[in-house]
Amino acid sequence: MRHFLPLLLLAAAAANAQPAPPASPSASQIIDNAPASAWRIVAADQLMLLEFAGGRKLAIELAPDYAPQHVSNIKLLLRDGWFERHAAISRVQENYVVQWGATTDAPLPDGLIRQPQGSYERPGLPATFRRLPYRDAYATIIGHSDDWPVAADANAHWLVHCPAMVGVGRDMAPDTGTGAELYVVIGHAPRHLDRNIALVGRVLSGMEHVSALPRGTGPLGTYEQDSQLVKLVSARLASTLPKAERPVFQVMRTDSPSFGQWVTARANRHDAFFIRPAGAADLCNLMPPARTVK
Amino acid sequence: MRHFLPLLLLAAAAANAQPAPPASPSASQIIDNAPASAWRIVAADQLMLLEFAGGRKLAIELAPDYAPQHVSNIKLLLRDGWFERHAAISRVQENYVVQWGATTDAPLPDGLIRQPQGSYERPGLPATFRRLPYRDAYATIIGHSDDWPVAADANAHWLVHCPAMVGVGRDMAPDTGTGAELYVVIGHAPRHLDRNIALVGRVLSGMEHVSALPRGTGPLGTYEQDSQLVKLVSARLASTLPKAERPVFQVMRTDSPSFGQWVTARANRHDAFFIRPAGAADLCNLMPPARTVK
């Protein structure tokens, strides 16, 4: 169709024609060749499946270790059917967030924790912490733990606002976000929100469905017309589906040798396209690889 | 319309109700109150105005100091009407780039520099360089010069791949990108491209029109059907329009006191929403404020 091959297409073609020597595989080859032991299956009771109008499906891994009260609330809202009755995307702000929640007065179910604790940081460093050797503008220590990108200081560690991370909308007081209003980061990581809002998970698939939504023209990207709202038509925990119907996702284990090789390959790209490998990478360009296997 | 005010809306409302004391204005107040001397008018002969099908308008400031041969080529292509005859958006890759160029065999005009020099870095540091005190994963020195985000080492400085930066698509050889194929960064900054591809400018307005396009389903986000192409219907340098019809854009002078105050306010957000100001900011979250004044 076109005379000028798009940027990087030839790079991909050349990588196929002249595979890198086995001693130095590319990042995508490392993913393809990683052994089964390098992958963790996302637990069905931590896998939230959303479908917005227009067939826009998101699969989200929840982070109960980091935000136990918020995740508990989210699971209650899922069981109750509250999201399906009340929620829609009502805000899409360029280079920032897509947000969904109730668009009408919608009483919250009994049992919901009305003022959950902040859940902004956890003490110390987790046993599974894998430190990155690269600099970060916002924290002195960065790395990964289990499936998550993490920043830390001498006293605590916390999840960070990379693209695809899911957080809890709140009002001015830190304890006002119940989990009934959620957002996902699109665009360059708004890391100034770290430790100011609770993060509760990460989109594993479907980002392209929400990041391509029209930006809202109201304050902070809100949709000004009801007709613009994108209704949440289905919201389920995978564990509530019959086993045969459950999608299965894997995330590369951040404590696996494959992950270490992948990080190094991403920081030192050596295919024929690159003149000068960076020698480093930003934490948010190192989101643990995820894939669906069913 | 909705019971739960979207995230941060109340923060904005409170900021209006209780303005910060004059000693510590917010980032947006600094922009609103900056004196005329803090703004630079973008030269009409460096302002590229694109309109894609569907009324999707982009205003792009070109960077001739950083990519003189590529910018010279782009201006020749604009004068020739080449973009309007041949170009369309043919690639939208999630969290990466939107790219446009020729979609059919399209001979390039006479006089075009067929193998422009790389233009990936300039020696030393410019006289107008303003260093940031924050860390960066990719470079030891970061800051701004004139209208641009810049990284540097002891020997050279270069433009960086922040969202909204515009670069030159190329094939494997560094001198194969003429400027006839261009892309704009959407999503988290792909800084590994720094010094591997020539950057030629920055989108000053209209990002929301291209970042919300459907993602392509072909390799690297290419559109697989001709019907998906988004035609470039108008491509002009502002200086070629009658004066009365030219839009006028300003960029905050990065050597102005207002810019320094704005950077500090962005790194230390203190409105009532924030529990813990970050104390730092990423270079790509500090793109110099731009606005249209006509």
Side-chain angles (χ1 to χ4, degrees):
Chain A
M1 180 177 79
R2 57 191 65 93
H3 182 62
F4 293 98
L5 281 173
L7 173 74
L8 295 183
L9 267 190
L10 278 180
N16 288 337
Q18 305 171 330
S24 183
S26 70
S28 59
Q29 288 171 328
I30 290 165
I31 292 175
D32 292 344
N33 299 331
S37 60
W39 297 93
R40 178 199 316 272
I41 293 177
V42 176
D45 61 350
Q46 309 301 347
L47 182 60
M48 178 165 68
L49 304 171
L50 305 182
E51 182 174 346
F52 293 93
R56 299 172 182 274
K57 292 186 184 182
L58 292 186
I60 295 171
E61 180 176 11
L62 296 169
D65 290 346
Y66 288 88
Q69 297 193 349
H70 293 95
V71 169
S72 168
N73 274 357
I74 290 167
K75 290 182 177 179
L76 172 56
L77 293 163
L78 290 169
R79 279 196 306 277
D80 181 70
W82 187 92
F83 286 117
E84 294 168 344
R85 288 197 306 279
H86 301 298
I89 293 172
S90 59
R91 176 189 182 198
V92 182
Q93 185 171 0
E94 169 60 14
N95 198 26
Y96 203 46
V97 297
V98 172
Q99 184 164 338
W100 60 92
T103 55
T104 53
D105 194 7
L108 292 165
D110 289 343
L112 199 86
I113 303 164
R114 300 299 170 123
Q115 294 177 299
Q117 296 302 303
S119 298
Y120 301 139
E121 56 185 40
R122 302 176 71 198
L125 276 177
T128 57
F129 183 71
R130 181 191 182 283
R131 186 167 181 170
L132 283 175
Y134 312 129
R135 289 182 299 268
D136 181 75
Y138 296 87
T140 52
I141 300 170
I142 54 168
H144 297 86
S145 182
D146 296 324
D147 295 354
W148 307 104
V150 164
D153 61 19
N155 303 311
H157 69 284
W158 54 91
L159 298 180
V160 299
H161 275 81
C162 294
M165 291 296 287
V166 176
V168 169
R170 66 165 170 87
D171 291 342
M172 298 300 273
D175 62 1
T176 46
T178 60
E181 181 100 20
L182 298 172
Y183 64 89
V184 58
V185 172
I186 59 171
H188 195 72
R191 297 277 307 279
H192 56 279
L193 298 176
D194 294 355
R195 291 190 286 177
N196 284 286
I197 310 187
L199 288 166
V200 293
R202 171 195 169 192
V203 174
L204 298 176
S205 77
M207 279 301 294
E208 70 277 16
H209 298 309
V210 289
S211 60
L213 285 169
R215 276 44 181 165
T217 50
L220 303 173
T222 48
Y223 285 153
E224 297 185 279
Q225 308 297 330
D226 280 5
S227 60
Q228 297 173 287
L229 299 173
V230 184
K231 190 163 163 34
L232 182 50
V233 294
S234 171
R236 302 288 296 273
L237 213 54
S239 55
T240 65
L241 298 175
K243 262 202 167 170
E245 295 173 21
R246 293 179 197 168
V248 176
F249 284 85
Q250 292 179 330
V251 176
M252 188 178 276
R253 298 182 72 102
T254 54
D255 59 356
S256 69
S258 296
F259 185 75
Q261 292 158 16
W262 178 80
V263 166
T264 301
R266 293 271 292 178
N268 301 279
R269 305 194 193 209
H270 54 65
D271 71 49
F273 185 83
F274 284 91
I275 305 160
R276 189 193 291 263
D282 186 275
L283 175 59
C284 288
N285 283 329
L286 295 171
M287 289 291 275
R291 64 184 186 186
T292 179
V293 290
K294 182 189 144 191
Chain B
M1 180 176 81
R2 53 191 68 94
H3 182 62
F4 294 97
L5 280 173
L7 172 73
L8 297 181
L9 268 190
L10 278 180
N16 289 337
Q18 306 171 329
S24 182
S26 71
S28 59
Q29 288 170 326
I30 289 164
I31 292 175
D32 292 344
N33 299 331
S37 60
W39 298 92
R40 178 198 317 273
I41 293 177
V42 176
D45 61 350
Q46 308 302 346
L47 183 60
M48 179 165 68
L49 305 171
L50 305 182
E51 183 174 345
F52 293 93
R56 298 173 183 273
K57 293 186 184 183
L58 292 186
I60 295 172
E61 180 178 9
L62 297 169
D65 291 344
Y66 288 87
Q69 297 193 349
H70 293 94
V71 169
S72 168
N73 273 356
I74 290 167
K75 289 183 178 180
L76 171 56
L77 292 162
L78 290 169
R79 280 197 305 276
D80 181 71
W82 188 91
F83 285 117
E84 293 168 346
R85 287 198 306 279
H86 300 297
I89 293 171
S90 58
R91 176 190 182 196
V92 182
Q93 185 170 1
E94 170 60 14
N95 198 27
Y96 203 45
V97 296
V98 172
Q99 185 165 338
W100 60 93
T103 57
T104 54
D105 193 7
L108 292 165
D110 290 343
L112 200 86
I113 302 164
R114 300 299 170 122
Q115 294 177 298
Q117 297 303 304
S119 299
Y120 301 138
E121 54 186 41
R122 302 176 72 197
L125 276 177
T128 56
F129 184 71
R130 181 190 183 283
R131 187 168 180 168
L132 283 174
Y134 312 129
R135 288 182 301 268
D136 180 76
Y138 295 87
T140 52
I141 300 171
I142 54 167
H144 297 86
S145 182
D146 296 323
D147 294 355
W148 307 104
V150 164
D153 60 19
N155 303 311
H157 69 285
W158 54 91
L159 298 179
V160 300
H161 276 80
C162 294
M165 291 296 286
V166 176
V168 169
R170 66 165 170 85
D171 291 343
M172 298 301 273
D175 61 2
T176 47
T178 60
E181 182 100 20
L182 297 173
Y183 64 89
V184 59
V185 172
I186 58 171
H188 195 73
R191 295 277 308 278
H192 56 280
L193 298 177
D194 294 355
R195 290 190 287 177
N196 285 286
I197 309 188
L199 289 166
V200 293
R202 172 196 170 192
V203 174
L204 299 175
S205 77
M207 280 301 294
E208 69 278 16
H209 297 309
V210 289
S211 60
L213 285 169
R215 276 48 181 164
T217 51
L220 305 173
T222 48
Y223 285 153
E224 298 186 277
Q225 308 298 328
D226 280 4
S227 61
Q228 297 174 286
L229 299 173
V230 184
K231 191 165 163 32
L232 182 50
V233 294
S234 172
R236 303 288 298 271
L237 213 54
S239 56
T240 66
L241 298 175
K243 263 202 166 171
E245 294 173 22
R246 294 179 195 167
V248 176
F249 283 86
Q250 292 179 329
V251 176
M252 187 179 276
R253 299 182 72 102
T254 53
D255 58 356
S256 69
S258 296
F259 185 75
Q261 292 158 15
W262 178 81
V263 165
T264 301
R266 294 270 293 178
N268 301 280
R269 306 192 193 211
H270 53 65
D271 71 50
F273 186 83
F274 284 92
I275 303 160
R276 189 193 292 262
D282 186 275
L283 175 59
C284 288
N285 282 330
L286 295 171
M287 290 292 275
R291 65 184 185 184
T292 181
V293 289
K294 182 188 145 192

PDB file of all heavy atoms in Angstrom, chain B residues 6 63 102 132 171 232:
ATOM      1  N   PRO B   6     -15.858  13.981  39.881  1.00  0.00           N
ATOM      2  CA  PRO B   6     -14.655  13.279  39.416  1.00  0.00           C
ATOM      3  C   PRO B   6     -13.412  13.736  40.172  1.00  0.00           C
ATOM      4  O   PRO B   6     -13.321  14.869  40.641  1.00  0.00           O
ATOM      5  CB  PRO B   6     -14.565  13.670  37.937  1.00  0.00           C
ATOM      6  CG  PRO B   6     -15.960  14.030  37.554  1.00  0.00           C
ATOM      7  CD  PRO B   6     -16.556  14.644  38.796  1.00  0.00           C
ATOM      8  N   ALA B  63      11.931  23.060  14.865  1.00  0.00           N
ATOM      9  CA  ALA B  63      13.180  23.260  15.620  1.00  0.00           C
ATOM     10  C   ALA B  63      14.374  23.312  14.667  1.00  0.00           C
ATOM     11  O   ALA B  63      15.204  22.415  14.650  1.00  0.00           O
ATOM     12  CB  ALA B  63      13.355  22.133  16.642  1.00  0.00           C
ATOM     13  N   ALA B 102       3.530   9.502   3.142  1.00  0.00           N
ATOM     14  CA  ALA B 102       2.933   9.094   1.876  1.00  0.00           C
ATOM     15  C   ALA B 102       2.367   7.690   1.994  1.00  0.00           C
ATOM     16  O   ALA B 102       2.960   6.817   2.625  1.00  0.00           O
ATOM     17  CB  ALA B 102       3.975   9.139   0.772  1.00  0.00           C
ATOM     18  N   LEU B 132      17.751  21.702  35.147  1.00  0.00           N
ATOM     19  CA  LEU B 132      16.809  21.266  36.177  1.00  0.00           C
ATOM     20  C   LEU B 132      17.577  20.543  37.285  1.00  0.00           C
ATOM     21  O   LEU B 132      18.516  19.797  36.996  1.00  0.00           O
ATOM     22  CB  LEU B 132      15.779  20.287  35.593  1.00  0.00           C
ATOM     23  CG  LEU B 132      14.645  20.856  34.752  1.00  0.00           C
ATOM     24  CD1 LEU B 132      13.828  19.701  34.157  1.00  0.00           C
ATOM     25  CD2 LEU B 132      13.732  21.759  35.587  1.00  0.00           C
ATOM     26  N   ASP B 171      14.226   4.665   7.784  1.00  0.00           N
ATOM     27  CA  ASP B 171      14.487   3.241   7.659  1.00  0.00           C
ATOM     28  C   ASP B 171      15.720   2.901   8.513  1.00  0.00           C
ATOM     29  O   ASP B 171      16.063   3.638   9.429  1.00  0.00           O
ATOM     30  CB  ASP B 171      14.682   2.881   6.180  1.00  0.00           C
ATOM     31  CG  ASP B 171      13.361   3.005   5.412  1.00  0.00           C
ATOM     32  OD1 ASP B 171      12.309   3.039   6.074  1.00  0.00           O
ATOM     33  OD2 ASP B 171      13.401   3.083   4.192  1.00  0.00           O
ATOM     34  N   LEU B 232      -4.266  13.868   5.365  1.00  0.00           N
ATOM     35  CA  LEU B 232      -3.801  15.216   5.700  1.00  0.00           C
ATOM     36  C   LEU B 232      -4.364  16.159   4.644  1.00  0.00           C
ATOM     37  O   LEU B 232      -3.949  16.127   3.488  1.00  0.00           O
ATOM     38  CB  LEU B 232      -2.265  15.244   5.704  1.00  0.00           C
ATOM     39  CG  LEU B 232      -1.581  16.553   6.070  1.00  0.00           C
ATOM     40  CD1 LEU B 232      -2.132  17.147   7.352  1.00  0.00           C
ATOM     41  CD2 LEU B 232      -0.082  16.343   6.204  1.00  0.00           C
TER      42      LEU B 232
END
